[in-house]
Amino acid sequence: MKEFKKLVGNDPIENEIKKKERKVKRETARRKIEDNISFENKLEGLNKEFLSLFTLQKITPQQRGFKLEKLFFELLHLNEFEHTPPYRTPNGEQIDGHFKYEKFDYLVEIKWTDEITKQKDLSIFDGKIRGKAQSTRGVFLSANGFDENAINKFSGDSPRIILINGEDLALILGNSFTLFDAIKAKVDALVRYGNIYKKLRDI
């Protein structure tokens, strides 16, 4: 058999198959590298946009909030989360958006205020969540963080909200955490400990 192979050489069809497989692997590796570079470039662009929100002149906190809202949903899109942009319910209730993570739907609330977010804002958002299906939770993003009393209030009875502050978002946009890992860490803290405000810098 060996002598026969020496005479006829290796199977040309088999060689062609292996050649094509090597080509596919090289092409897949190349695309993966290009995708990674593209992802990092887009993430860097979002990070620069976020940092610019702190220095923009002649712009109101509400306008900064709208820009932050747009940025957050671009981040969801970049990370391939299934999501919905801002919308109104049939009864006129304003929802800043929604995304899916695992088996849950997460309503989104985004605010940029000069002060930390107070209990009243969390109460309104909590009411929106509890008016939806049991599988609905919420993500509240506040650029300047949250009042301690509000945190304590909503960490108690069946918490369904996770809180993200500007520092958390900066760590995600700076690529210290992926968005997926950040959401996972915060959801784990909510589910296991009832902690609605697990800060990424404490992980």
Side-chain angles (χ1 to χ4, degrees), residues 57-94:
Q57 302 295 318
K58 297 180 180 179
I59 183 173
T60 67
Q62 186 180 34
Q63 289 171 322
R64 290 183 207 275
F66 287 141
K67 289 181 179 293
L68 182 62
E69 181 181 285
K70 179 174 177 291
L71 187 153
F72 183 73
F73 280 92
E74 287 177 356
L75 181 64
L76 286 171
H77 179 74
L78 179 60
N79 285 271
E80 300 182 348
F81 276 72
E82 183 181 344
H83 63 281
T84 307
Y87 63 95
R88 283 188 180 276
T89 63
N91 63 2
E93 186 179 61
Q94 176 64 37

PDB file of all heavy atoms in Angstrom, residues 57-94:
ATOM      1  N   GLN A  57     -20.703  72.594  26.661  1.00  0.00           N
ATOM      2  CA  GLN A  57     -21.199  73.867  27.174  1.00  0.00           C
ATOM      3  C   GLN A  57     -22.610  74.141  26.659  1.00  0.00           C
ATOM      4  O   GLN A  57     -23.023  73.612  25.625  1.00  0.00           O
ATOM      5  CB  GLN A  57     -20.264  75.008  26.737  1.00  0.00           C
ATOM      6  CG  GLN A  57     -18.817  74.839  27.197  1.00  0.00           C
ATOM      7  CD  GLN A  57     -18.689  74.887  28.714  1.00  0.00           C
ATOM      8  OE1 GLN A  57     -19.324  75.722  29.378  1.00  0.00           O
ATOM      9  NE2 GLN A  57     -17.868  74.006  29.269  1.00  0.00           N
ATOM     10  N   LYS A  58     -23.344  74.975  27.389  1.00  0.00           N
ATOM     11  CA  LYS A  58     -24.678  75.426  26.982  1.00  0.00           C
ATOM     12  C   LYS A  58     -25.611  74.256  26.634  1.00  0.00           C
ATOM     13  O   LYS A  58     -26.265  74.237  25.593  1.00  0.00           O
ATOM     14  CB  LYS A  58     -24.578  76.391  25.802  1.00  0.00           C
ATOM     15  CG  LYS A  58     -23.829  77.668  26.128  1.00  0.00           C
ATOM     16  CD  LYS A  58     -23.759  78.593  24.932  1.00  0.00           C
ATOM     17  CE  LYS A  58     -22.999  79.862  25.279  1.00  0.00           C
ATOM     18  NZ  LYS A  58     -22.894  80.783  24.115  1.00  0.00           N
ATOM     19  N   ILE A  59     -25.625  73.284  27.509  1.00  0.00           N
ATOM     20  CA  ILE A  59     -26.502  72.129  27.332  1.00  0.00           C
ATOM     21  C   ILE A  59     -27.116  71.789  28.680  1.00  0.00           C
ATOM     22  O   ILE A  59     -26.434  71.806  29.717  1.00  0.00           O
ATOM     23  CB  ILE A  59     -25.719  70.926  26.747  1.00  0.00           C
ATOM     24  CG1 ILE A  59     -26.645  69.741  26.488  1.00  0.00           C
ATOM     25  CG2 ILE A  59     -24.569  70.521  27.633  1.00  0.00           C
ATOM     26  CD1 ILE A  59     -25.972  68.590  25.757  1.00  0.00           C
ATOM     27  N   THR A  60     -28.409  71.510  28.714  1.00  0.00           N
ATOM     28  CA  THR A  60     -29.107  71.239  29.964  1.00  0.00           C
ATOM     29  C   THR A  60     -28.887  69.784  30.399  1.00  0.00           C
ATOM     30  O   THR A  60     -28.561  68.927  29.568  1.00  0.00           O
ATOM     31  CB  THR A  60     -30.622  71.469  29.801  1.00  0.00           C
ATOM     32  OG1 THR A  60     -31.143  70.489  28.897  1.00  0.00           O
ATOM     33  CG2 THR A  60     -30.903  72.865  29.268  1.00  0.00           C
ATOM     34  N   PRO A  61     -29.084  69.505  31.690  1.00  0.00           N
ATOM     35  CA  PRO A  61     -28.994  68.110  32.147  1.00  0.00           C
ATOM     36  C   PRO A  61     -29.931  67.186  31.377  1.00  0.00           C
ATOM     37  O   PRO A  61     -29.581  66.043  31.090  1.00  0.00           O
ATOM     38  CB  PRO A  61     -29.378  68.201  33.623  1.00  0.00           C
ATOM     39  CG  PRO A  61     -28.980  69.572  34.027  1.00  0.00           C
ATOM     40  CD  PRO A  61     -29.269  70.429  32.814  1.00  0.00           C
ATOM     41  N   GLN A  62     -31.126  67.687  31.033  1.00  0.00           N
ATOM     42  CA  GLN A  62     -32.078  66.861  30.289  1.00  0.00           C
ATOM     43  C   GLN A  62     -31.519  66.504  28.906  1.00  0.00           C
ATOM     44  O   GLN A  62     -31.642  65.364  28.449  1.00  0.00           O
ATOM     45  CB  GLN A  62     -33.410  67.587  30.124  1.00  0.00           C
ATOM     46  CG  GLN A  62     -34.482  66.709  29.469  1.00  0.00           C
ATOM     47  CD  GLN A  62     -35.803  67.447  29.319  1.00  0.00           C
ATOM     48  OE1 GLN A  62     -35.826  68.655  29.092  1.00  0.00           O
ATOM     49  NE2 GLN A  62     -36.903  66.724  29.461  1.00  0.00           N
ATOM     50  N   GLN A  63     -30.875  67.467  28.259  1.00  0.00           N
ATOM     51  CA  GLN A  63     -30.266  67.211  26.956  1.00  0.00           C
ATOM     52  C   GLN A  63     -29.110  66.208  27.076  1.00  0.00           C
ATOM     53  O   GLN A  63     -28.922  65.352  26.216  1.00  0.00           O
ATOM     54  CB  GLN A  63     -29.781  68.518  26.332  1.00  0.00           C
ATOM     55  CG  GLN A  63     -30.915  69.424  25.878  1.00  0.00           C
ATOM     56  CD  GLN A  63     -30.433  70.799  25.467  1.00  0.00           C
ATOM     57  OE1 GLN A  63     -29.520  71.365  26.072  1.00  0.00           O
ATOM     58  NE2 GLN A  63     -31.047  71.355  24.428  1.00  0.00           N
ATOM     59  N   ARG A  64     -28.349  66.336  28.157  1.00  0.00           N
ATOM     60  CA  ARG A  64     -27.285  65.355  28.403  1.00  0.00           C
ATOM     61  C   ARG A  64     -27.892  63.966  28.591  1.00  0.00           C
ATOM     62  O   ARG A  64     -27.339  62.958  28.146  1.00  0.00           O
ATOM     63  CB  ARG A  64     -26.474  65.737  29.643  1.00  0.00           C
ATOM     64  CG  ARG A  64     -25.611  66.964  29.493  1.00  0.00           C
ATOM     65  CD  ARG A  64     -24.797  67.219  30.757  1.00  0.00           C
ATOM     66  NE  ARG A  64     -24.479  68.631  30.896  1.00  0.00           N
ATOM     67  CZ  ARG A  64     -23.444  69.228  30.328  1.00  0.00           C
ATOM     68  NH1 ARG A  64     -22.609  68.527  29.598  1.00  0.00           N
ATOM     69  NH2 ARG A  64     -23.219  70.521  30.503  1.00  0.00           N
ATOM     70  N   GLY A  65     -29.031  63.931  29.265  1.00  0.00           N
ATOM     71  CA  GLY A  65     -29.723  62.659  29.491  1.00  0.00           C
ATOM     72  C   GLY A  65     -30.154  62.014  28.188  1.00  0.00           C
ATOM     73  O   GLY A  65     -30.016  60.791  28.018  1.00  0.00           O
ATOM     74  N   PHE A  66     -30.672  62.819  27.262  1.00  0.00           N
ATOM     75  CA  PHE A  66     -31.076  62.276  25.957  1.00  0.00           C
ATOM     76  C   PHE A  66     -29.869  61.714  25.208  1.00  0.00           C
ATOM     77  O   PHE A  66     -29.952  60.658  24.572  1.00  0.00           O
ATOM     78  CB  PHE A  66     -31.747  63.368  25.112  1.00  0.00           C
ATOM     79  CG  PHE A  66     -33.131  63.733  25.572  1.00  0.00           C
ATOM     80  CD1 PHE A  66     -33.561  65.052  25.551  1.00  0.00           C
ATOM     81  CD2 PHE A  66     -34.015  62.758  26.028  1.00  0.00           C
ATOM     82  CE1 PHE A  66     -34.832  65.404  25.976  1.00  0.00           C
ATOM     83  CE2 PHE A  66     -35.287  63.095  26.459  1.00  0.00           C
ATOM     84  CZ  PHE A  66     -35.694  64.421  26.434  1.00  0.00           C
ATOM     85  N   LYS A  67     -28.746  62.411  25.283  1.00  0.00           N
ATOM     86  CA  LYS A  67     -27.526  61.946  24.619  1.00  0.00           C
ATOM     87  C   LYS A  67     -27.012  60.663  25.281  1.00  0.00           C
ATOM     88  O   LYS A  67     -26.529  59.744  24.605  1.00  0.00           O
ATOM     89  CB  LYS A  67     -26.451  63.036  24.646  1.00  0.00           C
ATOM     90  CG  LYS A  67     -26.741  64.225  23.733  1.00  0.00           C
ATOM     91  CD  LYS A  67     -25.635  65.252  23.791  1.00  0.00           C
ATOM     92  CE  LYS A  67     -25.917  66.413  22.855  1.00  0.00           C
ATOM     93  NZ  LYS A  67     -25.876  66.010  21.429  1.00  0.00           N
ATOM     94  N   LEU A  68     -27.116  60.610  26.600  1.00  0.00           N
ATOM     95  CA  LEU A  68     -26.698  59.412  27.330  1.00  0.00           C
ATOM     96  C   LEU A  68     -27.594  58.226  26.968  1.00  0.00           C
ATOM     97  O   LEU A  68     -27.115  57.097  26.823  1.00  0.00           O
ATOM     98  CB  LEU A  68     -26.761  59.677  28.839  1.00  0.00           C
ATOM     99  CG  LEU A  68     -26.313  58.536  29.757  1.00  0.00           C
ATOM    100  CD1 LEU A  68     -24.832  58.203  29.510  1.00  0.00           C
ATOM    101  CD2 LEU A  68     -26.537  58.898  31.221  1.00  0.00           C
ATOM    102  N   GLU A  69     -28.868  58.477  26.828  1.00  0.00           N
ATOM    103  CA  GLU A  69     -29.830  57.442  26.425  1.00  0.00           C
ATOM    104  C   GLU A  69     -29.444  56.864  25.065  1.00  0.00           C
ATOM    105  O   GLU A  69     -29.393  55.640  24.881  1.00  0.00           O
ATOM    106  CB  GLU A  69     -31.218  58.066  26.363  1.00  0.00           C
ATOM    107  CG  GLU A  69     -32.345  57.139  25.991  1.00  0.00           C
ATOM    108  CD  GLU A  69     -33.654  57.896  25.939  1.00  0.00           C
ATOM    109  OE1 GLU A  69     -34.203  58.223  27.014  1.00  0.00           O
ATOM    110  OE2 GLU A  69     -34.129  58.185  24.814  1.00  0.00           O
ATOM    111  N   LYS A  70     -29.166  57.736  24.109  1.00  0.00           N
ATOM    112  CA  LYS A  70     -28.774  57.303  22.767  1.00  0.00           C
ATOM    113  C   LYS A  70     -27.480  56.485  22.823  1.00  0.00           C
ATOM    114  O   LYS A  70     -27.359  55.440  22.182  1.00  0.00           O
ATOM    115  CB  LYS A  70     -28.585  58.531  21.873  1.00  0.00           C
ATOM    116  CG  LYS A  70     -28.140  58.225  20.448  1.00  0.00           C
ATOM    117  CD  LYS A  70     -28.120  59.508  19.617  1.00  0.00           C
ATOM    118  CE  LYS A  70     -27.616  59.241  18.205  1.00  0.00           C
ATOM    119  NZ  LYS A  70     -26.191  58.904  18.165  1.00  0.00           N
ATOM    120  N   LEU A  71     -26.534  56.950  23.630  1.00  0.00           N
ATOM    121  CA  LEU A  71     -25.251  56.255  23.765  1.00  0.00           C
ATOM    122  C   LEU A  71     -25.437  54.857  24.348  1.00  0.00           C
ATOM    123  O   LEU A  71     -24.820  53.892  23.881  1.00  0.00           O
ATOM    124  CB  LEU A  71     -24.315  57.083  24.646  1.00  0.00           C
ATOM    125  CG  LEU A  71     -22.865  56.634  24.807  1.00  0.00           C
ATOM    126  CD1 LEU A  71     -21.976  57.847  25.105  1.00  0.00           C
ATOM    127  CD2 LEU A  71     -22.702  55.614  25.919  1.00  0.00           C
ATOM    128  N   PHE A  72     -26.285  54.740  25.358  1.00  0.00           N
ATOM    129  CA  PHE A  72     -26.493  53.445  26.011  1.00  0.00           C
ATOM    130  C   PHE A  72     -27.080  52.428  25.032  1.00  0.00           C
ATOM    131  O   PHE A  72     -26.677  51.259  25.025  1.00  0.00           O
ATOM    132  CB  PHE A  72     -27.410  53.597  27.227  1.00  0.00           C
ATOM    133  CG  PHE A  72     -27.601  52.318  27.997  1.00  0.00           C
ATOM    134  CD1 PHE A  72     -26.577  51.814  28.780  1.00  0.00           C
ATOM    135  CD2 PHE A  72     -28.794  51.617  27.931  1.00  0.00           C
ATOM    136  CE1 PHE A  72     -26.741  50.617  29.499  1.00  0.00           C
ATOM    137  CE2 PHE A  72     -28.962  50.433  28.635  1.00  0.00           C
ATOM    138  CZ  PHE A  72     -27.934  49.935  29.413  1.00  0.00           C
ATOM    139  N   PHE A  73     -28.000  52.875  24.186  1.00  0.00           N
ATOM    140  CA  PHE A  73     -28.599  51.935  23.247  1.00  0.00           C
ATOM    141  C   PHE A  73     -27.657  51.603  22.092  1.00  0.00           C
ATOM    142  O   PHE A  73     -27.737  50.515  21.526  1.00  0.00           O
ATOM    143  CB  PHE A  73     -29.958  52.445  22.769  1.00  0.00           C
ATOM    144  CG  PHE A  73     -31.033  52.177  23.783  1.00  0.00           C
ATOM    145  CD1 PHE A  73     -31.359  53.120  24.737  1.00  0.00           C
ATOM    146  CD2 PHE A  73     -31.661  50.948  23.833  1.00  0.00           C
ATOM    147  CE1 PHE A  73     -32.315  52.861  25.712  1.00  0.00           C
ATOM    148  CE2 PHE A  73     -32.619  50.673  24.795  1.00  0.00           C
ATOM    149  CZ  PHE A  73     -32.942  51.621  25.738  1.00  0.00           C
ATOM    150  N   GLU A  74     -26.744  52.505  21.781  1.00  0.00           N
ATOM    151  CA  GLU A  74     -25.688  52.168  20.820  1.00  0.00           C
ATOM    152  C   GLU A  74     -24.764  51.107  21.418  1.00  0.00           C
ATOM    153  O   GLU A  74     -24.282  50.211  20.715  1.00  0.00           O
ATOM    154  CB  GLU A  74     -24.892  53.420  20.447  1.00  0.00           C
ATOM    155  CG  GLU A  74     -25.661  54.370  19.533  1.00  0.00           C
ATOM    156  CD  GLU A  74     -24.881  55.631  19.233  1.00  0.00           C
ATOM    157  OE1 GLU A  74     -23.766  55.812  19.787  1.00  0.00           O
ATOM    158  OE2 GLU A  74     -25.385  56.461  18.446  1.00  0.00           O
ATOM    159  N   LEU A  75     -24.542  51.202  22.734  1.00  0.00           N
ATOM    160  CA  LEU A  75     -23.726  50.209  23.432  1.00  0.00           C
ATOM    161  C   LEU A  75     -24.417  48.839  23.427  1.00  0.00           C
ATOM    162  O   LEU A  75     -23.770  47.815  23.196  1.00  0.00           O
ATOM    163  CB  LEU A  75     -23.465  50.663  24.872  1.00  0.00           C
ATOM    164  CG  LEU A  75     -22.609  49.752  25.754  1.00  0.00           C
ATOM    165  CD1 LEU A  75     -21.195  49.629  25.208  1.00  0.00           C
ATOM    166  CD2 LEU A  75     -22.575  50.288  27.187  1.00  0.00           C
ATOM    167  N   LEU A  76     -25.716  48.816  23.662  1.00  0.00           N
ATOM    168  CA  LEU A  76     -26.475  47.563  23.593  1.00  0.00           C
ATOM    169  C   LEU A  76     -26.389  46.955  22.193  1.00  0.00           C
ATOM    170  O   LEU A  76     -26.200  45.748  22.040  1.00  0.00           O
ATOM    171  CB  LEU A  76     -27.942  47.808  23.960  1.00  0.00           C
ATOM    172  CG  LEU A  76     -28.279  48.054  25.427  1.00  0.00           C
ATOM    173  CD1 LEU A  76     -29.732  48.485  25.560  1.00  0.00           C
ATOM    174  CD2 LEU A  76     -28.022  46.815  26.277  1.00  0.00           C
ATOM    175  N   HIS A  77     -26.535  47.810  21.191  1.00  0.00           N
ATOM    176  CA  HIS A  77     -26.472  47.339  19.800  1.00  0.00           C
ATOM    177  C   HIS A  77     -25.090  46.775  19.477  1.00  0.00           C
ATOM    178  O   HIS A  77     -24.981  45.708  18.860  1.00  0.00           O
ATOM    179  CB  HIS A  77     -26.798  48.492  18.853  1.00  0.00           C
ATOM    180  CG  HIS A  77     -26.731  48.115  17.406  1.00  0.00           C
ATOM    181  ND1 HIS A  77     -27.687  47.337  16.789  1.00  0.00           N
ATOM    182  CD2 HIS A  77     -25.802  48.399  16.444  1.00  0.00           C
ATOM    183  CE1 HIS A  77     -27.364  47.156  15.529  1.00  0.00           C
ATOM    184  NE2 HIS A  77     -26.220  47.779  15.289  1.00  0.00           N
ATOM    185  N   LEU A  78     -24.053  47.469  19.914  1.00  0.00           N
ATOM    186  CA  LEU A  78     -22.683  47.023  19.661  1.00  0.00           C
ATOM    187  C   LEU A  78     -22.430  45.658  20.287  1.00  0.00           C
ATOM    188  O   LEU A  78     -21.718  44.822  19.724  1.00  0.00           O
ATOM    189  CB  LEU A  78     -21.694  48.055  20.218  1.00  0.00           C
ATOM    190  CG  LEU A  78     -20.198  47.747  20.058  1.00  0.00           C
ATOM    191  CD1 LEU A  78     -19.819  47.622  18.592  1.00  0.00           C
ATOM    192  CD2 LEU A  78     -19.357  48.837  20.731  1.00  0.00           C
ATOM    193  N   ASN A  79     -23.025  45.424  21.459  1.00  0.00           N
ATOM    194  CA  ASN A  79     -22.838  44.154  22.165  1.00  0.00           C
ATOM    195  C   ASN A  79     -23.890  43.108  21.804  1.00  0.00           C
ATOM    196  O   ASN A  79     -23.978  42.065  22.449  1.00  0.00           O
ATOM    197  CB  ASN A  79     -22.837  44.399  23.677  1.00  0.00           C
ATOM    198  CG  ASN A  79     -21.544  45.024  24.154  1.00  0.00           C
ATOM    199  OD1 ASN A  79     -20.593  44.326  24.482  1.00  0.00           O
ATOM    200  ND2 ASN A  79     -21.492  46.358  24.185  1.00  0.00           N
ATOM    201  N   GLU A  80     -24.696  43.423  20.791  1.00  0.00           N
ATOM    202  CA  GLU A  80     -25.667  42.486  20.222  1.00  0.00           C
ATOM    203  C   GLU A  80     -26.720  42.025  21.232  1.00  0.00           C
ATOM    204  O   GLU A  80     -27.168  40.869  21.216  1.00  0.00           O
ATOM    205  CB  GLU A  80     -24.959  41.285  19.587  1.00  0.00           C
ATOM    206  CG  GLU A  80     -24.014  41.693  18.461  1.00  0.00           C
ATOM    207  CD  GLU A  80     -23.328  40.510  17.793  1.00  0.00           C
ATOM    208  OE1 GLU A  80     -23.394  39.389  18.339  1.00  0.00           O
ATOM    209  OE2 GLU A  80     -22.737  40.713  16.721  1.00  0.00           O
ATOM    210  N   PHE A  81     -27.127  42.936  22.123  1.00  0.00           N
ATOM    211  CA  PHE A  81     -28.268  42.664  22.998  1.00  0.00           C
ATOM    212  C   PHE A  81     -29.550  42.935  22.202  1.00  0.00           C
ATOM    213  O   PHE A  81     -29.633  43.933  21.481  1.00  0.00           O
ATOM    214  CB  PHE A  81     -28.256  43.585  24.223  1.00  0.00           C
ATOM    215  CG  PHE A  81     -27.385  43.111  25.354  1.00  0.00           C
ATOM    216  CD1 PHE A  81     -25.998  43.149  25.255  1.00  0.00           C
ATOM    217  CD2 PHE A  81     -27.946  42.639  26.528  1.00  0.00           C
ATOM    218  CE1 PHE A  81     -25.193  42.729  26.299  1.00  0.00           C
ATOM    219  CE2 PHE A  81     -27.161  42.213  27.588  1.00  0.00           C
ATOM    220  CZ  PHE A  81     -25.777  42.253  27.468  1.00  0.00           C
ATOM    221  N   GLU A  82     -30.528  42.070  22.347  1.00  0.00           N
ATOM    222  CA  GLU A  82     -31.839  42.346  21.760  1.00  0.00           C
ATOM    223  C   GLU A  82     -32.466  43.502  22.532  1.00  0.00           C
ATOM    224  O   GLU A  82     -32.606  43.435  23.758  1.00  0.00           O
ATOM    225  CB  GLU A  82     -32.726  41.100  21.845  1.00  0.00           C
ATOM    226  CG  GLU A  82     -34.084  41.269  21.182  1.00  0.00           C
ATOM    227  CD  GLU A  82     -34.957  40.032  21.293  1.00  0.00           C
ATOM    228  OE1 GLU A  82     -34.411  38.948  21.620  1.00  0.00           O
ATOM    229  OE2 GLU A  82     -36.179  40.150  21.073  1.00  0.00           O
ATOM    230  N   HIS A  83     -32.842  44.572  21.849  1.00  0.00           N
ATOM    231  CA  HIS A  83     -33.317  45.749  22.563  1.00  0.00           C
ATOM    232  C   HIS A  83     -34.357  46.524  21.764  1.00  0.00           C
ATOM    233  O   HIS A  83     -34.531  46.316  20.570  1.00  0.00           O
ATOM    234  CB  HIS A  83     -32.138  46.674  22.894  1.00  0.00           C
ATOM    235  CG  HIS A  83     -31.437  47.224  21.683  1.00  0.00           C
ATOM    236  ND1 HIS A  83     -30.531  46.481  20.953  1.00  0.00           N
ATOM    237  CD2 HIS A  83     -31.521  48.415  21.058  1.00  0.00           C
ATOM    238  CE1 HIS A  83     -30.078  47.204  19.949  1.00  0.00           C
ATOM    239  NE2 HIS A  83     -30.666  48.383  19.984  1.00  0.00           N
ATOM    240  N   THR A  84     -35.038  47.417  22.468  1.00  0.00           N
ATOM    241  CA  THR A  84     -36.068  48.272  21.891  1.00  0.00           C
ATOM    242  C   THR A  84     -35.766  49.710  22.287  1.00  0.00           C
ATOM    243  O   THR A  84     -35.469  49.971  23.457  1.00  0.00           O
ATOM    244  CB  THR A  84     -37.462  47.893  22.429  1.00  0.00           C
ATOM    245  OG1 THR A  84     -37.677  46.496  22.235  1.00  0.00           O
ATOM    246  CG2 THR A  84     -38.554  48.688  21.747  1.00  0.00           C
ATOM    247  N   PRO A  85     -35.827  50.665  21.366  1.00  0.00           N
ATOM    248  CA  PRO A  85     -35.589  52.072  21.711  1.00  0.00           C
ATOM    249  C   PRO A  85     -36.741  52.638  22.542  1.00  0.00           C
ATOM    250  O   PRO A  85     -37.755  51.955  22.761  1.00  0.00           O
ATOM    251  CB  PRO A  85     -35.492  52.747  20.340  1.00  0.00           C
ATOM    252  CG  PRO A  85     -36.288  51.872  19.429  1.00  0.00           C
ATOM    253  CD  PRO A  85     -36.084  50.476  19.929  1.00  0.00           C
ATOM    254  N   PRO A  86     -36.622  53.880  22.995  1.00  0.00           N
ATOM    255  CA  PRO A  86     -37.684  54.494  23.815  1.00  0.00           C
ATOM    256  C   PRO A  86     -39.056  54.405  23.142  1.00  0.00           C
ATOM    257  O   PRO A  86     -39.176  54.505  21.921  1.00  0.00           O
ATOM    258  CB  PRO A  86     -37.221  55.946  23.935  1.00  0.00           C
ATOM    259  CG  PRO A  86     -35.728  55.865  23.835  1.00  0.00           C
ATOM    260  CD  PRO A  86     -35.463  54.775  22.846  1.00  0.00           C
ATOM    261  N   TYR A  87     -40.086  54.228  23.961  1.00  0.00           N
ATOM    262  CA  TYR A  87     -41.448  54.101  23.431  1.00  0.00           C
ATOM    263  C   TYR A  87     -42.456  54.510  24.511  1.00  0.00           C
ATOM    264  O   TYR A  87     -42.119  54.691  25.678  1.00  0.00           O
ATOM    265  CB  TYR A  87     -41.724  52.663  22.988  1.00  0.00           C
ATOM    266  CG  TYR A  87     -41.676  51.631  24.106  1.00  0.00           C
ATOM    267  CD1 TYR A  87     -42.836  51.235  24.770  1.00  0.00           C
ATOM    268  CD2 TYR A  87     -40.468  51.058  24.505  1.00  0.00           C
ATOM    269  CE1 TYR A  87     -42.800  50.298  25.797  1.00  0.00           C
ATOM    270  CE2 TYR A  87     -40.422  50.121  25.528  1.00  0.00           C
ATOM    271  CZ  TYR A  87     -41.590  49.743  26.163  1.00  0.00           C
ATOM    272  OH  TYR A  87     -41.532  48.824  27.188  1.00  0.00           O
ATOM    273  N   ARG A  88     -43.708  54.659  24.088  1.00  0.00           N
ATOM    274  CA  ARG A  88     -44.800  54.940  25.017  1.00  0.00           C
ATOM    275  C   ARG A  88     -45.771  53.766  25.018  1.00  0.00           C
ATOM    276  O   ARG A  88     -46.039  53.163  23.976  1.00  0.00           O
ATOM    277  CB  ARG A  88     -45.550  56.219  24.620  1.00  0.00           C
ATOM    278  CG  ARG A  88     -44.807  57.499  24.978  1.00  0.00           C
ATOM    279  CD  ARG A  88     -45.691  58.722  24.745  1.00  0.00           C
ATOM    280  NE  ARG A  88     -44.992  59.936  25.095  1.00  0.00           N
ATOM    281  CZ  ARG A  88     -44.914  60.431  26.338  1.00  0.00           C
ATOM    282  NH1 ARG A  88     -45.543  59.801  27.328  1.00  0.00           N
ATOM    283  NH2 ARG A  88     -44.251  61.527  26.582  1.00  0.00           N
ATOM    284  N   THR A  89     -46.283  53.449  26.187  1.00  0.00           N
ATOM    285  CA  THR A  89     -47.291  52.402  26.303  1.00  0.00           C
ATOM    286  C   THR A  89     -48.638  52.992  25.858  1.00  0.00           C
ATOM    287  O   THR A  89     -48.782  54.215  25.737  1.00  0.00           O
ATOM    288  CB  THR A  89     -47.395  51.903  27.750  1.00  0.00           C
ATOM    289  OG1 THR A  89     -47.827  52.990  28.592  1.00  0.00           O
ATOM    290  CG2 THR A  89     -46.045  51.392  28.248  1.00  0.00           C
ATOM    291  N   PRO A  90     -49.641  52.138  25.617  1.00  0.00           N
ATOM    292  CA  PRO A  90     -50.957  52.644  25.186  1.00  0.00           C
ATOM    293  C   PRO A  90     -51.584  53.655  26.154  1.00  0.00           C
ATOM    294  O   PRO A  90     -52.355  54.512  25.732  1.00  0.00           O
ATOM    295  CB  PRO A  90     -51.810  51.369  25.116  1.00  0.00           C
ATOM    296  CG  PRO A  90     -50.814  50.301  24.782  1.00  0.00           C
ATOM    297  CD  PRO A  90     -49.567  50.674  25.540  1.00  0.00           C
ATOM    298  N   ASN A  91     -51.230  53.565  27.445  1.00  0.00           N
ATOM    299  CA  ASN A  91     -51.796  54.526  28.407  1.00  0.00           C
ATOM    300  C   ASN A  91     -50.922  55.774  28.567  1.00  0.00           C
ATOM    301  O   ASN A  91     -51.136  56.576  29.485  1.00  0.00           O
ATOM    302  CB  ASN A  91     -52.018  53.864  29.766  1.00  0.00           C
ATOM    303  CG  ASN A  91     -50.713  53.398  30.411  1.00  0.00           C
ATOM    304  OD1 ASN A  91     -49.628  53.609  29.854  1.00  0.00           O
ATOM    305  ND2 ASN A  91     -50.817  52.782  31.583  1.00  0.00           N
ATOM    306  N   GLY A  92     -49.927  55.937  27.658  1.00  0.00           N
ATOM    307  CA  GLY A  92     -49.122  57.157  27.662  1.00  0.00           C
ATOM    308  C   GLY A  92     -47.893  57.125  28.552  1.00  0.00           C
ATOM    309  O   GLY A  92     -47.208  58.141  28.706  1.00  0.00           O
ATOM    310  N   GLU A  93     -47.599  55.982  29.122  1.00  0.00           N
ATOM    311  CA  GLU A  93     -46.434  55.851  30.005  1.00  0.00           C
ATOM    312  C   GLU A  93     -45.146  55.854  29.179  1.00  0.00           C
ATOM    313  O   GLU A  93     -45.005  55.107  28.222  1.00  0.00           O
ATOM    314  CB  GLU A  93     -46.563  54.545  30.777  1.00  0.00           C
ATOM    315  CG  GLU A  93     -45.523  54.320  31.842  1.00  0.00           C
ATOM    316  CD  GLU A  93     -45.770  52.996  32.550  1.00  0.00           C
ATOM    317  OE1 GLU A  93     -45.742  51.938  31.890  1.00  0.00           O
ATOM    318  OE2 GLU A  93     -46.010  53.035  33.774  1.00  0.00           O
ATOM    319  N   GLN A  94     -44.204  56.739  29.548  1.00  0.00           N
ATOM    320  CA  GLN A  94     -42.942  56.840  28.823  1.00  0.00           C
ATOM    321  C   GLN A  94     -41.936  55.807  29.347  1.00  0.00           C
ATOM    322  O   GLN A  94     -41.663  55.736  30.540  1.00  0.00           O
ATOM    323  CB  GLN A  94     -42.331  58.239  28.979  1.00  0.00           C
ATOM    324  CG  GLN A  94     -40.959  58.423  28.349  1.00  0.00           C
ATOM    325  CD  GLN A  94     -40.967  58.257  26.837  1.00  0.00           C
ATOM    326  OE1 GLN A  94     -41.916  58.666  26.167  1.00  0.00           O
ATOM    327  NE2 GLN A  94     -39.918  57.662  26.292  1.00  0.00           N
TER     328      GLN A  94
END
